[in-house]
Amino acid sequence: MNFEELTQLAERERAAQHAMPFQIHVCAGTGCHAAGSEMVAKALEGEVARSTLKGKVLVKCVGCRGLCASGPIVEVEQQQPNAEPASVLYAHVRPEDAPEVVRSIGGEPVERLFLDTNQPFFTRQLKIVLEDCGKIDPERIEDYIARGGYRALFKVLDEMTPSEVIDEITHSGLRGRGGAGFPTGLKWATVAKANPQRYPTYVPPGVQSQKFVICNGDEGDPGAFMDRSVMEGDPHRVLEGMIIAGYAVGANQGYIYVRAEYPLAVKRLRTAIRQAQRVGLLGNNIAGTAFSFNIDIRLGAGAFVCGEETALIASIEGGRGLPRPRPPYPAEYGLWGCPTLINNVETLANIAPIINRGAAWFASIGTAKSKGTKVFALTGQVKNTGLIEVPMGITLREIVFDIGGGIPNGRKFKAVQTGGPSGGCIPEQYLDTPVDYESLTALGSIMGSGGLIVMDDSTDMVEVARFFMEFCMEESCGKCIPCRAGTAQIHHILTKFQTGRATMRDLRLLEELCDVVKHASLCGLGQSAPNPVLSTLRYFRHEYEAKLRSDGYAYGHANGAAEEALSHVQ
Amino acid sequence: MSVVTLKINDQDVSARDDATVLQAAREAGIHIPVLCYLEGLSAVGACRLCLVEVAGVNRLLPACTTRVQEGMMVQTNTPRLQNYRRHIVELLFAERNHVCAVCVANGNCELQALAIEVGMDHVRYDYMFPALGVDLTHERFGLDHNRCILCTRCVRACDEIEGAHTLDVLGRGAKARIVTDLNMPWGESPTCTSCGKCAMACPTGAIFKQGSTVAEMVHHPEKLAFLKVARERREWRV
Ligand SMILES: Cc1cc2nc3c(=O)[nH]c(=O)nc-3n(C[C@H](O)[C@H](O)[C@H](O)COP(=O)(O)O)c2cc1C
Ligand code: SF4
Ligand code: FES
């Protein structure tokens, strides 16, 4: 396929879509799917087939629309000459509502199901990564191309050298969305420069020794579904980012590492890869150039630590998912000893827009050091739970109270936890902090991959810390001692607080131990595991102190501690 | 190969450019405590006892896997590192059932020696007292999970020196265990060659020769390095 053919295909698809004056988009994202959107789509299709509008309405299943708490979400679009289509959004649609929805097409919207898109939940968001998610049919490459997909790839292949691509990404200021916020351009440049001969390689038979690109779609944080929504709702965008990355760093093979718990994402990615291969956008001599690139999928078995880059690489190699000390970083010594670029799904989903609209445009969004947008999974005690994309630099208050709609049931806000299980809890007085990598770190939390959990005033912060520590303890790979034994001891001490057996001595030991685990652990799991404890100790220390034994009696080793330890170590 | 110079504890040290900080320090007679590292086996950087401070690096780095660099400034024994080392040793003692008085390796144990070295006069953590078993099905060796610190030296010796890969790790976190083959009794293992390299490698009393009584079990970790070097130099021909 060349650029001309791409343009023609886009035109054809657009014309075909315009021939249908109406489109019904049924959200098939995680939340809506669980709420029964599949049945709704079937009912709508049946209803359209029976109605007089047959042949004029296209019913399609699309990716996540964000407002998961109100699912299933249905959007009815009406084509307008020379303008964006007019659309109406419906919430909580059940299969029984199908006749009413179809009858209303072209007339007045169904009042009962109507969802106002003029509320801050929609107006305060800025969508780049998710711009097509919920608009296109993720199972059709034509739909992606019709909306401008793969144009960036052609621009890169036809007009830019690999180093120009890297410069463009560097100038955009994009930073890795997988958690650490490492500058993406710098990482690409390191891989591009890396000497494949520096370290001995051990590629298996059938694999060519070269550079590799890995897309990290492991997303092991509980409650996070940002990457999942992108992979399920707009898989071609991820592929396009990977192909461009491959061109920039000089790799011919890419792997997408997805957890097996995401069967729909796996299926959609497989379909997308097949479609891209069919039209010649993946495979040998892409678009008639000398550049070849292939993508394969690797499934993870759902261990949190396998999201850590070196553990992920070990897992792709077929070993146990254990991290190894860095340096050497994967950029120099990665998959099978070869230089490897590893980027998060969301990072890669930002690539095509940056190439299309330019680094300056991207750099104009966000704060001085954090550019662009960030996708968050907003959950907990907040009215609008779901998936949001906001510009960097927006305040936590705007996220929780404007977009999130505030705290339900008349309760008061207490804290918001950012960054998943190993993020910190941020209290009310810091709600006006702009969301960027540095500000969150300064508050003792992290950006992480983008979980946001809102807690109301009924929350016991010690219990929150204990809960997350339990997760980290269970997900610790067991390789290094500070993380394996340290998280278990932290959890044990927090359990003593919760059962009224903690003394001042435990509180001091807890603080010392958090310091050890944070600074002596091998990988990011252990290094960030104490964050929930440290941040709650920093902002809610009185809650810990209130739980200390009033008689100051130091609780010995033998009494009962043994049975309790047994119950969770066995 | 070229030679680099660096400073370890303010002492000038020179080393091959492919050496690790640990090797350079040892050659210069500077002691860095280790547990998971064993000469002759690959380094995994797991026990974190060998962590050192390197000027200009804001993280602590394991000496056993970090390569030397020209002009590097390394500190191996600061109060902060001493504190971390003591915590790590205490965490190990609290994690499983290390009762020296009734251990075959008493007096011949690297963990015990470390406890003395880091000045561990008592353990501040609550003991976890996990209920763990002992595998005595092998006719010559025993595996006592109560004493195991999961250093994986036995796993690497079995895989890298003997080439049998009988031993490996099952499970993760505190639930991890050393297993033989697919978690079968050691005595039934079809791959074990009964070479005893695991017993040479084990730093504690976890893998021992059957029939040893308390304080009898002497390890010979140096034999593994000897074997490896001799093979590389082809000192024997068959
Ligand atoms: C315990 C742990 C879990 C991680 N899980 C993920 C994950 O699920 N997805 C991800 O993209 N990155 C994850 N990371 C970060 C990766 O190690 C790596 O930094 C990232 O994939 C790099 O991509 P980026 O530069 O695009 O952010 C995790 C890191 C740690 C320490
Ligand atoms: S059995 Fe010994 S050598 Fe093997 S992991 Fe346990 S302590 Fe280390
Ligand atoms: S000896 Fe270096 S980490 Fe164990």
Side-chain angles (χ1 to χ4, degrees), chain A residues 57-322:
Chain A
V57 184
L58 174 72
V59 180
K60 68 179 180 186
C61 286
V62 297
C64 183
R65 299 302 309 252
L67 199 53
C68 306
S70 304
I73 305 256
V74 170
E75 180 180 36
V76 180
E77 263 192 9
Q78 180 172 6
Q79 301 289 344
Q80 305 193 75
N82 310 322
E84 278 286 297
S87 86
V88 187
L89 219 55
Y90 294 126
H92 298 297
V93 182
R94 284 163 301 141
E96 307 88 89
D97 301 326
E100 215 178 326
V101 171
V102 173
R103 241 182 290 129
S104 78
I105 293 178
E108 282 298 300
V110 185
E111 197 70 40
R112 187 166 59 80
L113 303 168
F114 186 71
L115 185 64
D116 184 13
T117 48
N118 254 329
Q119 49 171 316
F121 182 83
F122 294 98
T123 56
R124 298 304 283 272
Q125 293 197 48
L126 176 66
K127 300 207 167 181
I128 297 175
V129 170
L130 300 175
E131 61 187 350
D132 289 339
C133 206
K135 298 274 178 204
I136 62 170
D137 181 344
E139 303 206 351
R140 294 188 64 237
I141 191 172
E142 295 83 359
D143 211 358
Y144 180 67
I145 293 177
R147 287 186 70 93
Y150 288 111
R151 269 213 333 260
L153 176 61
F154 277 93
K155 183 169 172 189
V156 162
L157 292 178
D158 291 346
E159 301 166 20
M160 298 167 87
T161 64
S163 64
E164 281 170 354
V165 178
I166 294 176
D167 286 346
E168 192 74 6
I169 301 301
T170 307
H171 292 145
S172 73
L174 175 65
R175 295 171 64 173
R177 302 295 193 238
F182 191 82
T184 306
L186 186 57
K187 198 185 258 186
W188 287 26
T190 315
V191 180
K193 275 205 296 277
N195 172 7
Q197 258 89 52
R198 171 140 185 236
Y199 293 97
T201 59
Y202 45 97
V203 286
V207 180
Q208 205 195 331
S209 178
Q210 48 154 294
K211 293 180 182 174
F212 294 101
V213 173
I214 297 175
C215 168
N216 188 342
D218 191 54
E219 197 164 53
D221 305 23
F225 54 103
M226 295 78 59
D227 297 346
R228 174 183 191 160
S229 299
V230 177
M231 291 187 286
E232 287 180 359
D234 200 358
H236 282 287
R237 173 183 293 263
V238 182
L239 301 191
E240 190 175 2
M242 283 182 79
I243 306 171
I244 295 174
Y247 175 75
V249 304
N252 303 113
Q253 174 68 46
Y255 292 99
I256 308 181
Y257 189 87
V258 200
R259 52 199 308 223
E261 290 93 330
Y262 286 177
L264 188 60
V266 174
K267 175 168 160 264
R268 297 253 162 97
L269 286 166
R270 285 218 167 103
T271 310
I273 291 174
R274 242 192 347 265
Q275 290 170 342
Q277 281 167 340
R278 210 185 51 221
V279 297
L281 294 172
L282 262 183
N284 291 339
N285 302 98
I286 295 176
T289 65
F291 173 62
S292 302
F293 194 76
N294 275 302
I295 298 180
D296 285 315
I297 294 180
R298 290 290 178 270
L299 299 189
F304 178 55
V305 74
C306 283
E308 200 280 336
E309 51 191 25
T310 57
L312 187 152
I313 287 172
S315 172
I316 293 185
E317 289 172 354
R320 296 180 78 220
L322 297 185

Side-chain angles (χ1 to χ4, degrees), chain B residues 35-36 96 98 142-145 147-156 167 169 177-178 197-208 219:
Chain B
L35 210 42
C36 70
R96 291 194 176 180
H98 296 281
L143 169 54
D144 183 352
H145 294 286
R147 314 280 197 241
C148 175
I149 55 170
L150 293 171
C151 67
T152 69
R153 274 159 55 160
C154 54
V155 176
R156 282 172 285 150
L167 298 167
V169 184
R177 299 278 179 279
I178 296 295
K197 293 191 175 68
C198 48
M200 294 177 196
C202 184
T204 69
I207 296 187
F208 54 90
H219 303 274

